Amino acid sequence: MNTNRWTRLFAWQRMNKNANEEENKGEESNKKKIEEAPKINWKEWIIDPSEEFYYTWLQIMILPICYNWVIIICRTCFYAIEETYVAAWLTLDYICDLIFVLDTVIGFRTGFLEQGILVRDLSRLKTRYIHSSRFKWDIASLLPTDLLYLKLGIHTPLVRVNRFLRTGRLNEALDRMETRTSYPNTFRVAKLMLYIFVLIHWNACIYFSLSNYIGFGADPWVYPNISDPDFASTRRQYFYCFWFSTLILTTVGDTPTPEREEEYLFLVADMLIAVLVFASVVGSMGDVISSLRDRDNVFFPNHELVKGYLRSRRISKELQKRVNDWYQHLHINKKITRENEILQYLPFTLQTATAVSVHLPTLSKVTIFQNCEKSLLEQLVLKLTPQVYSPGEYVCKKGDVGHEMYIIKEGKLAVVADDGVTQFAVLGDGNFFGEISILNIKGNKSGNRRTANIRSIGYSDLFSLSKEGLTETLLEYPAAKRLLEEKGRQILTKMGMLEETDEGEGEVEKTEDKVNRLEACLETLQTKLARLIAELESSARKMMQRVEQLELQTEGWEGIVAEGAQGEIEEREKVKEREIGDGKGEGEKEDEEEPVVEGERGEGDGGEESLGEKKNVKENETIEKEKEETEEEIIKTETHQDQKRDESR
């Protein structure tokens, strides 16, 4: 007994020690977590407008703004409400003012994007906020107009009318909520109803204040006398005024005929406002309905257009019923067959991310795509096209050429015989078929044709991957292409649908293909070379003809020049003989003049000779230049032809 007690005592002590150690470890781990938690540096705290905190703060700002729009006018017109709950109203007023002050502080700390990067410089943020128009409205809404209570009295809440200047934050909050909500059309209707409620509320308050000014019960149009117990309670006063304002603004019920000028003016103003309200309601509802219709047209095929086509072509009623049943199935079960058209409005990266999150698990189930690169699967995911098949409809028939493969997302399909009754197997969710037909595998006995009849038992949702889409994607992934072909050969070998061929024959065929391709290239090069030689010969022939023509022209010029020089020499000799025959006994004066004449003649003859020589020199220079140009052109043509020969080689 004693030993048992001691053993129990020791066991109890050990348990206490273990418990204390565990507690100490837990405390130490909690301390470490607290120490490791990042501390917020409030001096450098910046708010990102795209984060959740900013969105939550905008939702909080809706409350004080709506409070001021609803309560201030109510307290001003229904003085009984103001006097009864004055302490509560003052408390709520200053809570709203505190929220406005915090919103101003947040405005100084709100970042903005510059070239796509969030600016975190506090000095720049402050400068930008101070110079913005929002800062002016925020400061105006925080002006201490409550100090007018000291002069006008505590029961004049109208002095807080400057708080309405924060309405811009309400619009921003509602816009953010509309973009984030999953039901934007419902939200638009709710926002419109909120605006209408505030408008009717203000109109009810003004109606009660006008009744007080004219006198309660003065005529049937104003509010009844509050001395009547049925109309004395504050609740009854507000509900009656709200009901009467609703009748006027919606123009639904009959209202009493006004009797005073003030009543007529009020009713005319309300009628004009009612026209605007009615137009805004009708327009907003029309926008909601049109957006819903556009959404349906994007998500689902246009049923009305198809039905009109079937009627105009006088299609049988049985086929029309099948088409209508297919459309009805799409609408009831929200089946979307136009995903690619919807996602095209997103950037390519977001398209890929969305398609991967939706379709990648389904594509990964296909055997031939397992262990492939993730980037390849991401490219293939964008090629998937959803399809819906009706009961009894054939997806493919035996002997058809396969242009796509199918992956079963939901539903059951039967592999049936040619009679359409005998079932060999049933395919369910996650199964696939037709994957071999889109791979051009050599030796496939089926020749890329369907080997079975597959029919939908009920409504079946499938994904189809076209042969063109796979081929286009595999062009950028040659290793994946070889891997897929190898997997396809293995599957065909197991099925006994692959013809065995020697590798040597394949290599011989490849070399023969290469030789044929080289021969074809050689023939094309030979034709190009022959064409270039013919062009060279024709150009050389033209150049020779031109040179011959130039030579003929120059020969004629030389004969003309020689004849002209000989004629001049003969004329000089005749002149000399004439001078000698005239006699030598003339006076000194004539003797003196003759040399002068001869000198003049000599100068003239020498001038003519110099002009002829200049002409000859110029003609020779032009001939030499033309010869040089012809030689340069011949050299250029020869070099160009040599370059073409080198390129063809």
Side-chain angles (χ1 to χ4, degrees):
M1 295 293 292
N2 292 328
T3 56
N4 292 330
R5 288 178 182 176
W6 284 108
T7 54
R8 290 175 184 173
L9 182 62
F10 284 130
W12 178 75
Q13 188 175 4
R14 288 172 186 167
M15 290 173 63
N16 288 334
K17 285 183 178 180
N18 293 330
N20 292 329
E21 289 178 357
E22 290 178 356
E23 289 179 358
N24 292 329
K25 289 180 181 179
E27 291 177 357
E28 290 177 358
S29 63
N30 291 330
K31 289 180 180 179
K32 289 181 179 179
K33 289 180 180 178
I34 293 169
E35 292 176 356
E36 292 176 357
K39 294 182 179 179
I40 299 174
N41 189 0
W42 295 103
K43 293 182 179 180
E44 299 180 357
W45 179 54
I46 301 299
I47 301 171
D48 188 354
S50 61
E51 290 181 351
E52 194 67 26
F53 174 79
Y54 190 78
Y55 177 68
T56 305
W57 178 255
L58 288 177
Q59 290 179 319
I60 294 172
M61 284 296 298
I62 294 175
L63 299 176
I65 294 172
C66 291
Y67 167 81
N68 287 320
W69 274 98
V70 173
I71 299 301
I72 290 177
I73 188 66
C74 184
R75 290 163 55 191
T76 303
C77 297
F78 293 92
Y79 49 87
I81 297 175
E82 164 66 19
E83 293 176 353
T84 306
Y85 306 103
V86 62
W89 299 136
L90 292 176
T91 304
L92 292 174
D93 287 345
Y94 295 118
I95 289 174
C96 293
D97 291 347
L98 179 61
I99 295 174
F100 283 1
V101 171
L102 293 176
D103 184 60
T104 305
V105 174
I106 288 174
F108 283 105
R109 298 275 179 169
T110 303
F112 64 94
L113 294 178
E114 187 176 61
Q115 296 181 355
I117 300 173
L118 183 67
V119 177
R120 295 181 175 275
D121 188 1
L122 284 175
S123 60
R124 292 186 63 188
L125 297 181
K126 292 178 182 177
T127 304
R128 185 173 185 271
Y129 178 61
I130 290 172
H131 289 86
S132 64
S133 60
R134 177 190 156 192
F135 176 75
K136 299 175 183 178
W137 295 112
D138 292 348
I139 294 300
S141 65
L142 287 175
L143 292 176
T145 54
D146 296 34
L147 296 176
L148 294 175
Y149 284 150
L150 300 175
K151 184 177 181 180
L152 302 177
I154 198 67
H155 297 296
T156 54
L158 197 61
V159 298
R160 294 176 54 84
V161 72
N162 62 323
R163 270 58 174 179
F164 295 158
L165 299 177
R166 287 270 178 163
T167 309
R169 298 291 274 175
L170 175 65
N171 297 329
E172 184 181 359
L174 294 178
D175 291 340
R176 289 288 185 98
M177 292 175 68
E178 184 176 347
T179 56
R180 287 203 176 195
T181 183
S182 301
Y183 306 97
N185 294 315
T186 304
F187 183 81
R188 293 189 191 102
V189 175
K191 183 172 69 173
L192 178 63
M193 296 304 296
L194 174 65
Y195 291 157
I196 293 174
F197 166 76
V198 173
L199 181 61
I200 294 174
H201 169 77
W202 271 68
N203 195 66
C205 295
I206 296 172
Y207 168 74
F208 186 81
S209 180
L210 182 61
S211 299
N212 185 22
Y213 172 76
I214 295 173
F216 296 116
D219 55 49
W221 190 86
V222 298
Y223 185 79
N225 196 343
I226 58 175
S227 60
D228 188 351
D230 294 335
F231 299 96
S233 65
T234 306
R235 186 184 303 171
R236 182 63 177 272
Q237 293 173 4
Y238 179 77
F239 286 154
Y240 181 89
C241 294
F242 196 89
W243 167 79
F244 191 81
S245 178
T246 305
L247 290 180
I248 297 174
L249 293 178
T250 57
T251 64
V252 174
D254 295 331
T255 57
T257 304
E259 297 180 359
R260 299 172 182 268
E261 290 81 358
E262 298 85 352
E263 297 172 358
Y264 278 109
L265 292 175
F266 181 81
L267 197 59
V268 168
D270 276 6
M271 289 295 181
L272 295 175
I273 295 172
V275 172
L276 297 177
V277 170
F278 184 76
S280 62
V281 170
V282 172
S284 299
M285 295 305 297
D287 292 339
V288 170
I289 293 170
S290 62
S291 62
L292 289 173
R293 187 176 298 169
D294 293 339
R295 185 195 65 181
D296 291 340
N297 291 335
V298 172
F299 284 178
F300 310 106
N302 195 338
H303 190 193
E304 298 295 332
L305 184 62
V306 175
K307 286 196 296 185
Y309 174 79
L310 296 177
R311 286 194 301 268
S312 63
R313 295 298 181 181
R314 297 180 181 179
I315 305 300
S316 63
K317 292 184 178 180
E318 182 181 356
L319 183 56
Q320 290 187 20
K321 185 178 182 303
R322 287 176 56 189
V323 173
N324 293 332
D325 292 342
W326 183 76
Y327 271 104
Q328 186 177 2
H329 171 74
L330 292 182
H331 280 275
I332 292 173
N333 298 282
K334 305 300 180 184
K335 304 292 184 182
I336 301 174
T337 59
R338 306 170 70 176
E339 292 183 355
N340 295 332
E341 296 181 12
I342 298 170
L343 296 178
Q344 69 180 355
Y345 299 103
L346 297 175
F348 182 75
T349 54
L350 292 179
Q351 286 184 30
T352 305
T354 305
V356 164
S357 63
V358 175
H359 302 317
L360 187 60
T362 304
L363 188 63
S364 301
K365 295 177 183 178
V366 182
T367 307
I368 61 174
F369 295 133
Q370 291 177 354
N371 300 324
C372 287
E373 299 180 26
K374 187 178 179 182
S375 58
L376 172 63
L377 296 179
E378 290 177 354
Q379 293 290 330
L380 290 176
V381 158
L382 296 173
K383 308 293 184 181
L384 293 178
T385 304
Q387 296 183 3
V388 180
Y389 287 88
S390 303
E393 187 176 357
Y394 279 91
V395 180
C396 61
K397 290 186 177 182
K398 187 176 180 180
D400 294 342
V401 178
H403 295 288
E404 60 274 315
M405 66 168 293
Y406 297 95
I407 306 169
I408 303 174
K409 180 184 179 183
E410 184 181 359
K412 291 186 179 296
L413 291 91
V415 182
V416 298
D418 294 337
D419 57 4
V421 178
T422 307
Q423 293 186 2
F424 299 115
V426 176
L427 305 176
D429 300 350
N431 294 123
F432 54 91
F433 56 92
E435 70 278 7
I436 303 301
S437 62
I438 63 174
L439 294 172
N440 292 323
I441 299 174
K442 294 181 180 179
N444 187 0
K445 294 181 180 180
S446 61
N448 291 335
R449 292 184 177 272
R450 306 294 187 187
T451 58
N453 301 312
I454 298 178
R455 187 180 64 188
S456 177
I457 298 174
Y459 285 101
S460 302
D461 296 345
L462 308 179
F463 287 115
S464 67
L465 177 62
S466 65
K467 185 176 182 179
E468 292 78 8
L470 179 63
T471 305
E472 182 183 352
T473 306
L474 290 179
L475 290 175
E476 302 175 359
Y477 300 92
K481 182 179 180 180
R482 291 192 295 270
L483 179 63
L484 293 176
E485 289 178 352
E486 184 62 28
K487 288 184 177 181
R489 290 192 190 93
Q490 293 175 2
I491 295 171
L492 287 174
T493 303
K494 291 179 182 179
M495 297 170 59
M497 299 292 293
L498 183 65
E499 294 180 355
E500 296 182 358
T501 57
D502 296 334
E503 295 180 357
E505 294 178 358
E507 293 179 357
V508 171
E509 291 178 358
K510 290 181 180 178
T511 54
E512 289 180 356
D513 293 338
K514 289 181 181 178
V515 170
N516 294 329
R517 188 168 61 254
L518 290 173
E519 288 179 353
C521 293
L522 183 60
E523 290 178 357
T524 55
L525 291 174
Q526 287 177 351
T527 55
K528 289 181 179 179
L529 181 60
R531 192 180 302 139
L532 290 173
I533 291 170
E535 291 177 357
L536 177 61
E537 291 177 353
S538 64
S539 61
R541 198 178 300 111
K542 291 178 181 178
M543 293 300 299
M544 292 298 294
Q545 292 176 358
R546 188 175 177 185
V547 170
E548 290 176 356
Q549 291 177 358
L550 291 172
E551 288 178 351
L552 292 173
Q553 291 176 0
T554 54
E555 288 178 356
W557 292 343
E558 289 177 356
I560 293 167
V561 172
E563 290 177 357
Q566 189 175 1
E568 290 177 355
I569 292 167
E570 291 177 353
E571 287 180 357
R572 287 176 191 167
E573 290 179 352
K574 289 179 180 180
V575 169
K576 288 180 180 180
E577 291 176 355
R578 194 184 306 117
E579 291 176 351
I580 293 168
D582 290 338
K584 298 179 180 178
E586 293 183 355
E588 294 178 356
K589 191 173 182 179
E590 292 180 355
D591 293 334
E592 291 176 358
E593 290 176 354
E594 285 178 357
V596 173
V597 173
E598 288 179 357
E600 291 176 356
R601 282 175 168 263
E603 288 175 1
D605 295 338
E608 291 176 357
E609 289 177 0
S610 63
L611 288 172
E613 290 175 358
K614 287 180 181 179
K615 288 180 181 179
N616 294 331
V617 171
K618 289 181 180 179
E619 289 172 354
N620 293 327
E621 287 177 356
T622 54
I623 292 166
E624 289 177 357
K625 286 182 180 179
E626 289 178 354
K627 287 183 179 180
E628 288 176 358
E629 289 176 357
T630 54
E631 290 176 356
E632 287 177 358
E633 289 178 358
I634 292 168
I635 293 168
K636 286 181 181 179
T637 53
E638 290 178 354
T639 54
H640 183 64
Q641 290 170 359
D642 293 335
Q643 289 177 359
K644 286 187 176 179
R645 286 184 194 135
D646 295 335
E647 289 176 356
S648 62
R649 290 175 184 173

